[in-house]
């Protein structure tokens, strides 16, 4: 749902290279060349020239096969990676005019902790397995407070456990004893804990059983519906992205080959790769 207000996030010409880079990198890679590795200098062009705007209440899906550049793009958006080129603006930072990629490391940490929630493909990346489930959810809240108070934080954790449909009775159990689907729910609760203005999802259902995938997707959809939280979801699963998103970017070999409203892209895909993805998802 596109708003007349300013976008909450704007990404401009984002590119991420791994390697020394050379003048031939861009022309030597991409969908037309069928690869994302420069044959001159061996630089991996993970993504190049990606631009989009994200509005309040909107879910943007980014799809593509392994190596398409979608995960590198998300890491740059979460300020975990420094892009080679490009800029990114958030409406709540510097009145929307400060390039987040130019911020100091301290500023980036503050932006991540306050504004950007993330759910990783593997719970082992997003959770500390030696801690309890409740402690994992409490950690981002503690980072925000100079004088944390136990009672309000505990109440917030209980609220989040109820929101993601986790049994409050297991709040103090080590998260390593939870099933994969429950660990993903703990990750979602942790990401939501500081009330971020944007949620990033990196293959949130990959590796889960089909029935568990469905329950996690339903949970994400319900949370987005209830809160209106803008979301960027990265996945190789076109069916999952179709369920969650209103708009979609299709990536291949580091480039966006097609973009548009999700329903329109499914109904009338133009790029041969998108046609292949849609045919596979509908078969």
């Amino acid at each position: 749902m596109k708003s007349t207000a300013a976008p909450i996030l704007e990404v401009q010409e984002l590119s991420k290279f791994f390697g020394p880079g050379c003048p031939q990198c861009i022309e030597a890679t991409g969908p037309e060349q069928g690869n994302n590795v420069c044959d001159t200098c061996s630089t991996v062009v993970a993504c190049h020239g990606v631009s989009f705007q994200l509005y309040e209440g909107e879910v943007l899906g980014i799809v593509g096969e392994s190596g398409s550049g979608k995960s590198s793009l998300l890491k740059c958006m979460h300020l975990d990676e420094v892009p080679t080129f490009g800029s990114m603006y958030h409406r709540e930072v510097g009145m929307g005019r400060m390039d987040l990629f130019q911020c100091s490391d301290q500023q980036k940490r503050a932006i991540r902790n306050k504004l950007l929630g993330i759910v990783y493909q593997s719970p082992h990346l997003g959770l500390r397995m030696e801690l309890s489930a409740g402690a994992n959810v409490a950690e981002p809240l503690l980072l925000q407070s100079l004088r944390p108070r136990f009672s309000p934080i505990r109440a917030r954790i209980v609220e989040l456990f109820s929101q993601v449909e986790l049994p409050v009775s297991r709040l103090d159990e080590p998260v390593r004893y939870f099933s994969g689907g429950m660990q993903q729910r703990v990750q979602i609760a942790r990401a939501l804990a500081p009330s971020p203005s944007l949620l990033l999802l990196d293959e949130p259902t990959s590796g889960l059983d089909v029935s568990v995938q469905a329950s996690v997707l339903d949970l994400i959809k319900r949370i987005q519906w209830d809160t209106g939280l803008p979301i960027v979801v990265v996945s190789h699963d076109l069916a999952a992205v179709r369920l969650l998103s209103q708009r979609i970017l299709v990536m291949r070999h580091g480039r966006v080959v097609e973009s548009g409203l999700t329903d329109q892209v499914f109904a009338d895909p133009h790029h041969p790769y998108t046609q292949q993805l849609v045919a596979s998802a509908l078969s």
Side-chain angles (χ1 to χ4, degrees):
M1 59 185 79
K2 198 167 183 177
S3 168
T4 56
I8 192 163
L9 191 79
E10 183 168 4
V11 173
Q12 297 179 355
E13 296 295 325
L14 193 155
S15 301
K16 178 61 181 177
F17 297 0
F18 293 96
C22 73
Q24 286 73 46
C25 279
I26 294 172
E27 290 186 2
T29 60
E32 293 181 0
Q33 284 69 35
N35 70 82
N36 64 349
V37 181
C38 176
D39 54 13
T40 300
C41 68
S42 300
T43 291
V44 176
V45 180
C47 58
H48 175 64
V50 180
S51 299
F52 63 87
Q53 296 177 329
L54 183 72
Y55 289 83
E56 196 72 47
E58 188 175 40
V59 180
L60 174 69
I62 304 175
V63 298
E65 63 193 359
S66 177
S68 63
K70 59 189 189 300
S71 290
S72 293
L73 173 61
L74 199 74
K75 289 175 182 177
C76 290
M77 290 173 60
H78 192 244
L79 306 177
D80 291 325
E81 292 278 3
V82 178
T84 307
F85 309 109
S87 53
M88 185 170 74
Y89 302 91
H90 191 290
R91 191 175 65 196
E92 298 179 25
V93 180
M95 300 181 69
R97 294 194 290 267
M98 180 182 291
D99 182 1
L100 271 58
F101 297 142
Q102 299 302 317
C103 290
S104 67
D105 289 344
Q106 183 179 4
Q107 288 172 317
K108 287 178 180 179
R109 281 194 298 272
I111 292 167
R112 278 195 299 263
N113 291 340
K114 182 178 180 182
L115 300 178
L116 306 178
I118 189 166
V119 176
Y120 294 96
Q121 174 179 352
S122 169
H124 288 268
L125 294 175
L127 299 175
R128 295 174 62 180
M129 292 295 166
E130 74 276 10
L131 298 181
S132 70
N136 270 281
V137 178
E139 193 169 32
L141 296 172
L142 294 170
L143 289 173
Q144 283 195 345
S145 178
L146 293 176
R147 294 183 177 179
R149 295 173 57 213
F150 179 77
S151 294
I153 290 177
R154 182 85 175 184
R156 175 64 172 155
I157 297 169
V158 169
E159 176 190 352
L160 287 162
F161 265 54
S162 298
Q163 188 175 4
V164 301
E165 300 173 353
L166 283 169
V168 176
S169 60
R170 300 193 64 180
L171 188 150
D172 295 314
E173 288 186 34
V175 75
R176 67 178 179 273
Y177 295 146
F178 285 35
S179 67
M182 291 182 73
Q183 288 176 349
Q184 284 300 70
R185 289 172 184 266
V186 175
Q187 267 212 93
I188 295 170
R190 177 187 170 92
L192 295 174
S195 299
S197 59
L198 173 63
L199 185 61
L200 306 174
L201 307 177
D202 186 8
E203 300 275 11
T205 59
S206 181
L208 301 178
D209 293 339
V210 174
S211 61
V212 179
Q213 287 182 16
S215 67
V216 171
L217 289 173
D218 286 343
L219 171 65
I220 293 168
K221 192 169 182 66
R222 179 178 58 76
I223 289 172
Q224 201 281 328
W225 179 266
D226 290 343
T227 64
L229 184 65
I231 295 175
V232 177
V233 54
V234 160
S235 181
H236 68 279
D237 185 346
L238 199 61
V241 169
R242 186 184 190 186
L243 175 69
L244 295 174
S245 69
Q246 292 93 35
R247 279 196 303 128
I248 191 171
L249 302 180
V250 181
M251 296 190 68
R252 183 163 172 79
H253 296 306
R255 311 298 203 276
V256 174
V257 297
E258 190 155 356
S259 63
L261 296 175
T262 303
D263 289 342
Q264 290 181 356
V265 170
F266 262 84
D268 186 23
H270 291 173
H271 194 276
Y273 178 64
T274 312
Q275 293 170 358
Q276 177 186 336
L277 285 179
V278 169
S280 176
L282 296 177
S283 62

